[in-house]
Amino acid sequence: MQQVDKWRGVAAATGAADRPAAEAGIRLAYRTAGLTEPERIVWADSPLAGLDAVRSLTDQGRSVRDEVRTKPWAEERRRIHDELGPAGWAEWWGATGARLWDTTRALAERIRSGITDAPAMDPADLPGTRQLLLDAVLGQHDAAWLAAFDGRGERLAGLAEVAAHAGWWWPYEKVTVVCERPVELHRDEAGRLDRGDGPALAYPDGFALYAWRGMPVPAGFLAELTSLDPARIRAEENAELRRVMLEYYGYDRYLAESGAEPIGKDETGILWRIALDDDEDVVMVEVVNSTPEPDGTSRTYWLRVPPNTRTAKEGVAWTFGLDAQAYEPLRQT
C-alpha cells in the first residue's frame, strides 16, 4: 500500500529537518485545535537536547498536547471506526498502521530508555524525565498511526506535516520545542537497531544509541569486537555481552580456537557444546552440505540448537520442527 511505504520512509528518515515546513505544520496543528499559534518555536538537535530545552522554559504556559494530538487522534479514530465498522477498522489498521507499529514503537522506547538510562541521569530526576518524555509528540515516530489516517481527512494534516519534516516536539501554549531528525539510523532485517562499527542511531548533537541486533551495548564495547579472542570472551562477566561477542566472533571460530571437544557424532553431523559461566551452554551441530559447491568443495554449516540437545540428529531434527524419531530425510541437500 502506497501510504505505508510513504510513512515507513518518514519513520526512517535521517538528515536535517525541513524547518519551515515543520513550523508551518506546528502552526496548522494549533489552529486546527482551536488554539492561538505559539509565540516561539525553539529547535533542539535531539530528544535529549529537546528535554533540556523544555526544562529551561519559564514562560511556555501549559502543555497543549491533549488538544493538539490526543483529542484529534481519538476523534478521527472514532469517526473512521464508525464509518468502517469494527471489522472494517481492524482490516484497515492491519493493512496500514499495524505494519509499522512494532518497529516505530520499539525505536521510540529505545530512545526514551537511552535518555533515562544514561550514566549522567540523576535518579531523583527520573520521574519528571519520564513524564516529560511521555508528553512529547513523536513527530516522525508517530508514522504508524498517521499512516492509518493518511488520505481520510484533514483534521490531522498539521501533525502529519510536522512528522514528515521533523522529529519529536513538545507543544505548550506559548512555546513549542521541536527536534531535528537523526543523522544516522542502522537496523537489521527485523527492524532492530544494529551496527557493529559505530552508533546505530545518532543525532546532530552527538546523542547516540549503540546496539547489536537490537541489544543495547556500551559505545566502547563495539570498538573491542575487532580484537576479540577466546580468552577475552570467556572473561566477559556480562552474559548478554558475552553472547554478542560470540555472535560477532563466530561460534565455529570460537570452537576451533578454544580447543572445544565434540560430545557426539552421527550420520547427520557433529554435536559441540560450549560451557559458559552464568549462562546456558551453547550447543551447536556441525553439518556438511551434501551438495558440492561449483568448485567441488562441500560447505560446513553450524546450527545452534537448544542446550538440552543430546545428539546431532536430534539437533538437526529440531531445526525442522521434528523430533529425532520423526526425522528421516529421504534425500539431503
Side-chain angles (χ1 to χ4, degrees):
M1 188 173 286
Q2 188 173 3
Q3 70 243 47
V4 174
D5 293 337
K6 166 189 169 181
W7 288 101
R8 181 180 287 112
V10 167
T14 57
D18 184 335
R19 294 191 176 192
E23 291 181 8
I26 289 169
R27 295 188 177 97
L28 175 58
Y30 274 64
R31 293 196 305 270
T32 303
L35 300 170
T36 303
E37 295 178 10
E39 297 172 5
R40 288 191 296 134
I41 296 177
V42 177
W43 281 87
D45 280 340
S46 70
L48 177 61
L51 194 68
D52 290 339
V54 168
R55 287 199 182 105
S56 71
L57 296 175
T58 58
D59 60 345
Q60 72 272 27
R62 66 178 179 85
S63 172
V64 293
R65 183 181 187 275
D66 280 352
E67 293 96 318
V68 168
R69 195 263 197 195
T70 306
K71 290 179 181 177
W73 176 86
E75 290 170 2
E76 284 298 287
R77 181 189 182 281
R78 187 180 306 113
R79 180 182 67 80
I80 297 175
H81 184 276
D82 292 345
E83 175 186 320
L84 299 178
W89 165 255
E91 182 180 356
W92 179 254
W93 173 253
T96 56
R99 295 172 62 184
L100 307 178
W101 180 257
D102 288 342
T103 53
T104 53
R105 181 182 60 175
L107 183 55
E109 287 301 320
R110 183 68 184 87
I111 292 170
R112 290 191 185 103
S113 63
I115 292 171
T116 57
D117 295 344
M121 177 60 63
D122 185 339
D125 293 336
L126 275 176
T129 297
R130 290 193 177 104
Q131 185 56 56
L132 285 176
L133 289 172
L134 290 174
D135 283 346
V137 181
L138 300 186
Q140 68 181 123
H141 298 144
D142 272 333
W145 66 266
L146 287 169
F149 297 105
D150 193 355
R152 302 194 70 93
E154 297 300 317
R155 182 77 181 275
L156 306 177
L159 292 167
E161 188 72 5
V162 183
H165 298 292
W168 296 20
W169 54 292
W170 284 262
Y172 295 93
E173 282 183 299
K174 300 179 181 179
V175 182
T176 299
V177 174
V178 57
C179 300
E180 285 284 345
R181 296 182 297 199
V183 292
E184 289 191 72
L185 174 63
H186 302 269
R187 295 189 285 195
D188 63 10
E189 295 83 355
R192 303 172 299 182
L193 288 178
D194 178 47
R195 189 180 180 190
D197 59 354
L201 179 75
Y203 281 87
D205 61 355
F207 173 62
L209 303 177
Y210 295 79
W212 173 264
R213 296 179 183 173
M215 195 188 90
V217 298
F221 174 81
L222 295 175
E224 190 182 3
L225 292 179
T226 57
S227 59
L228 286 176
D229 58 34
R232 173 65 188 92
I233 294 172
R234 287 192 295 272
E236 176 55 53
E237 296 180 356
N238 184 301
E240 289 186 334
L241 294 182
R242 187 168 58 228
R243 194 168 298 150
V244 171
M245 289 177 168
L246 279 167
E247 289 181 0
Y248 185 91
Y249 196 72
Y251 292 106
D252 53 343
R253 183 182 174 194
Y254 180 87
L255 287 168
E257 296 182 8
S258 62
E261 295 291 335
I263 60 173
K265 182 178 181 179
D266 57 35
E267 70 277 13
T268 61
I270 303 173
L271 188 69
W272 299 82
R273 183 181 301 274
I274 305 172
L276 299 174
D277 295 337
D278 302 318
D279 197 4
E280 66 179 20
D281 291 354
V282 173
V283 178
M284 307 195 74
V285 180
E286 177 186 355
V287 297
V288 177
N289 189 358
S290 60
T291 303
E293 298 296 308
D295 63 0
T297 61
S298 295
R299 292 186 62 181
T300 298
Y301 293 90
W302 302 81
L303 311 174
R304 187 168 182 183
V305 296
N308 59 352
T309 301
R310 294 164 298 178
T311 67
K313 183 177 181 181
E314 181 182 339
V316 174
W318 175 84
T319 66
F320 289 98
L322 302 171
D323 58 33
Q325 290 73 27
Y327 179 67
E328 294 293 342
L330 298 176
R331 176 174 176 266
Q332 290 184 327
T333 57

